[in-house]
Amino acid sequence: MSEFAFEILATDGAARAGILRMERGAVLTPAFMPVGTAGTVKAMLPESVAETGADIVLANTYHLMLRPGAERIASLGGLHKFMNWPWPILTDSGGYQVMSLAGLREITEEGVRFRSHIDGSEHFLSPERAMEIQRLLGSDIHMVLDECAPYPASEDEIEKSLLLSMRWAKRSKAAFAGVGAGACFGIVQGGVYPHLRQRSVDELLAIGFDGYAVGGLAVGEGQSAMFDVLDATVPHLPADRPRYLMGVGKPDDIVGAVLRGIDMFDCVLPTRSGRNGQAFTWAGPLNLRNARHADDQGPLDAGCSCPACKSYSRAYLHHVVKANEIIAAMLLSWHNLAFFQDLVRTLREAIGTGAAKRFAADFYANYGRHTVE
Amino acid sequence: MSEFAFEILATDGAARAGILRMERGAVLTPAFMPVGTAGTVKAMLPESVAETGADIVLANTYHLMLRPGAERIASLGGLHKFMNWPWPILTDSGGYQVMSLAGLREITEEGVRFRSHIDGSEHFLSPERAMEIQRLLGSDIHMVLDECAPYPASEDEIEKSLLLSMRWAKRSKAAFAGVGAGACFGIVQGGVYPHLRQRSVDELLAIGFDGYAVGGLAVGEGQSAMFDVLDATVPHLPADRPRYLMGVGKPDDIVGAVLRGIDMFDCVLPTRSGRNGQAFTWAGPLNLRNARHADDQGPLDAGCSCPACKSYSRAYLHHVVKANEIIAAMLLSWHNLAFFQDLVRTLREAIGTGAAKRFAADFYANYGRHTVE
């Protein structure tokens, strides 16, 4: 078994600061993982992603299995070499994207058959194949294949989906066990129903995983419902294993989830917003497309040390956003990734000094000051 | 008068290697100027442009006057600060883009009235306004406003256009003379007619400029006709002034033009090709979109030290080109700019050792080996 160790360095209420040690590097938690969907964190060079403070990125099994193909990446030396990111990579299982992107899905006990959104070609993903693909990519953290229930869904539908996901989790773990590289995380499902979340946790604990993800959230239920689910779920998870809230989220989601004991996050928001002219600041998100920035000589965020803030005015950023220049996506993605890393770093420091709640109160007071403008 | 000095360090036949000294930095010639149309060399950070070896970039008066506006850039501290490029900038006069991009052009003796291709707004460009805009931008090298004759055009049309351009050149110089910052280049016109080119040179010499550009080429006349024009024009230009071939060009154009005594070039080709998946190599251009690169573990160009060649395989570049990822434009633009800088650097070295003709023969022998594939 390769190295995978999680150590908690400090706690503050339910919040934890820790370190995840893996062969390819250490990850400080709470951690935000930039999303490198198709083998690139969009509009960023990998060395710049590392410069923002990211210890780990996420890659999407669904996208990579379709193009360029898992076997091809393996024959080229694995995903780390392919995308020039030598540090840890977490791969999802592909299940979420199959539900949200692929065509003509057919779900059976065995797995899911679907058509590629790129060229319509037919593909099949089972728990075993999802694990094989992640192994071929050379993933550091493998995620089990789960079914992503639609939202909203009835309790019956959620339960049925949950039970299938738990059977798939067992098969995923069995398939992973033969591999002997990296770690494997289970995924808690159960929608907004506390007893189903509890049941899912129990089933996953019986199987046993290196870490536990909370899935099926950030699908439209709203922040309050999401926090309720965390309140009903996280206390049942083992304290000595990392906890990962999948696909989350906005800065205010992250702060609330960290207070509830979550250690890891991933989201496309910083890079997607960066491509849309939106920048995150401690005073809330900012729309650089707005004409009020056209003559603003000031920096995007005086406290930020990213290139967008150090070397350019808001007026320049406004100009390149309006002109659809690629540098706008490059600079704003960089800034937003730096902001998300600053956010989790500051959270780690606050937890270390027992100031997490105060930090959160200050954060919400400032962040809510402006809406998107 | 601010510093502007041109020193020839070596000659080899008609070819010259020199150095252009300006307040904001020195430019080694032959020089290739990356094009930063709208205040950004597309898909590049300015520090990366400098890393490729570029001493100077070109910015487009037409684009910047329309968006964000010359007065606005001036009030923001000038173009160098705005776009984070502290080194020399050459600005064109806007004439060429008015002809190729703007709508509803009306040319009179006074200047040219046109509509913006962005929002249809009406604008007027005269020799005096072109100089004022370049001053507002803070240009290091100002170009006179000229009329770009259509191609093909009759000798009569070319002559008429040429005479207007020469009257405008005189007015441009007079307008520039009051400014006292940077340098001002005249532009030789005259189509493919040697006696008209000669006449244009004579008129410009009578006015007197810091440097002389050859304009109206690379508009469809073909390389052979372009070289003929250079053979008929360059010998009449003063030896002690820099010579700039506008909008050129392909690597094989540049090599031939350097042998004919040209010192400066600009072209969108490296960045535009980079956004289209094309890479320049010493063996000719390469289309990374081609499926034959899908499994190629080798670098784009083993002899190149740019990030695309150092850290990625052809297979990866093929993948990100196919997936329309922004990193494809970033890496291939960087490589192509590095290639163009390597090309002029190698030409400078060859001129310094009296090996320019041999270098050119070797270049053509290798570069012609492949067509775009």
Side-chain angles (χ1 to χ4, degrees), chain B residues 299-310:
Chain B
L300 175 48
D301 182 342
C304 177
S305 62
C306 85
C309 294
K310 269 190 314 187

Side-chain angles (χ1 to χ4, degrees), chain B residues 210-291:
Chain B
D210 297 308
Y212 295 88
V214 183
L217 292 176
V219 292
E221 75 283 353
Q223 188 185 73
S224 167
M226 181 173 80
F227 285 169
D228 287 346
V229 169
L230 294 182
D231 288 333
T233 305
V234 175
H236 304 298
L237 293 172
D240 62 347
R241 297 288 177 175
R243 304 157 177 169
Y244 161 31
L245 180 54
M246 300 184 79
V248 172
K250 297 195 295 294
D252 44 310
D253 294 334
I254 290 174
V255 171
V258 164
L259 286 191
R260 288 166 173 84
I262 295 292
D263 306 304
M264 300 166 69
F265 302 88
D266 83 275
C267 195
V268 296
L269 195 61
T271 44
R272 179 173 292 168
S273 298
R275 295 196 303 284
N276 290 329
Q278 192 180 92
F280 289 91
T281 79
W282 294 99
L286 212 63
N287 185 351
L288 269 309
R289 199 171 285 277
N290 192 302

Side-chain angles (χ1 to χ4, degrees), chain A residues 31-195:
Chain A
F32 179 80
M33 302 184 282
V35 177
T37 302
T40 162
V41 176
K42 288 184 196 298
M44 295 286 290
L45 295 182
E47 51 268 40
S48 309
V49 176
E51 251 185 75
T52 66
D55 297 324
I56 178 171
V57 299
L58 178 145
N60 287 120
T61 283
Y62 171 81
H63 289 87
L64 293 170
M65 73 181 280
L66 297 182
R67 184 171 61 189
E71 276 74 10
R72 170 169 284 142
I73 289 179
S75 79
L76 290 165
L79 182 58
H80 296 79
K81 182 179 172 192
F82 186 63
M83 69 183 285
N84 190 31
W85 177 266
W87 303 287
I89 296 176
L90 179 148
T91 46
D92 65 8
S93 69
Y96 182 80
Q97 273 78 26
V98 167
M99 299 304 154
S100 55
L101 293 176
L104 289 173
R105 293 176 298 274
E106 185 200 350
I107 301 173
T108 62
E109 184 66 30
E110 180 58 19
V112 52
R113 191 169 300 281
F114 62 93
R115 289 196 179 275
S116 161
H117 73 291
I118 300 169
D119 61 7
S121 57
E122 193 176 288
H123 297 266
F124 184 72
L125 201 58
S126 64
E128 293 76 18
R129 177 60 181 160
M131 284 294 148
E132 183 182 27
I133 291 171
Q134 294 177 75
R135 178 183 61 76
L136 287 164
L137 298 177
S139 177
D140 299 283
I141 301 180
H142 303 57
M143 301 301 298
V144 300
L145 183 66
D146 57 351
E147 198 210 5
C148 296
Y151 179 87
S154 71
E155 190 172 337
D156 277 359
E157 288 172 311
I158 293 288
E159 182 172 17
K160 190 162 164 264
S161 169
L162 161 68
L163 294 175
L164 178 64
S165 286
M166 294 304 105
R167 293 192 297 274
W168 284 4
K170 194 166 185 178
R171 284 167 54 192
S172 295
K173 177 68 192 295
F176 172 78
V179 173
C184 182
F185 281 21
I187 304 175
V188 181
Q189 290 289 353
V192 295
Y193 305 99
H195 70 283

Side-chain angles (χ1 to χ4, degrees), chain B residues 119-317:
Chain B
D119 61 7
S121 56
E122 195 176 287
H123 297 266
F124 184 71
L125 202 57
S126 64
E128 292 76 16
R129 177 61 180 158
M131 282 295 145
E132 183 182 27
I133 291 171
Q134 294 177 74
R135 178 183 62 77
L136 287 164
L137 298 176
S139 177
D140 299 283
I141 302 180
H142 302 58
M143 301 300 300
V144 302
L145 184 67
D146 58 350
E147 196 210 9
C148 297
Y151 179 87
S154 71
E155 191 171 336
D156 277 357
E157 289 172 309
I158 292 288
E159 183 173 15
K160 189 162 165 266
S161 169
L162 161 67
L163 294 175
L164 178 65
S165 285
M166 294 305 105
R167 293 191 298 275
W168 284 3
K170 196 167 183 176
R171 284 167 54 193
S172 295
K173 177 67 192 296
F176 172 77
V179 174
C184 181
F185 281 22
I187 305 175
V188 181
Q189 291 289 352
V192 295
Y193 305 100
H195 70 285
L196 294 181
R197 289 280 172 184
Q198 167 81 64
R199 179 159 177 192
S200 182
V201 169
D202 291 343
E203 300 243 14
L204 294 176
L205 290 176
I207 304 169
F209 287 96
D210 297 308
Y212 295 88
V214 183
L217 292 176
V219 292
E221 75 283 353
Q223 188 185 73
S224 167
M226 181 173 80
F227 285 169
D228 287 346
V229 169
L230 294 182
D231 288 333
T233 305
V234 175
H236 304 298
L237 293 172
D240 62 347
R241 297 288 177 175
R243 304 157 177 169
Y244 161 31
L245 180 54
M246 300 184 79
V248 172
K250 297 195 295 294
D252 44 310
D253 294 334
I254 290 174
V255 171
V258 164
L259 286 191
R260 288 166 173 84
I262 295 292
D263 306 304
M264 300 166 69
F265 302 88
D266 83 275
C267 195
V268 296
L269 195 61
T271 44
R272 179 173 292 168
S273 298
R275 295 196 303 284
N276 290 329
Q278 192 180 92
F280 289 91
T281 79
W282 294 99
L286 212 63
N287 185 351
L288 269 309
R289 199 171 285 277
N290 192 302
R292 74 186 179 82
H293 302 297
D295 293 297
D296 191 339
Q297 302 205 33
L300 175 48
D301 182 342
C304 177
S305 62
C306 85
C309 294
K310 269 190 314 187
S311 305
Y312 301 91
S313 61
R314 288 188 179 197
Y316 181 79
L317 296 172

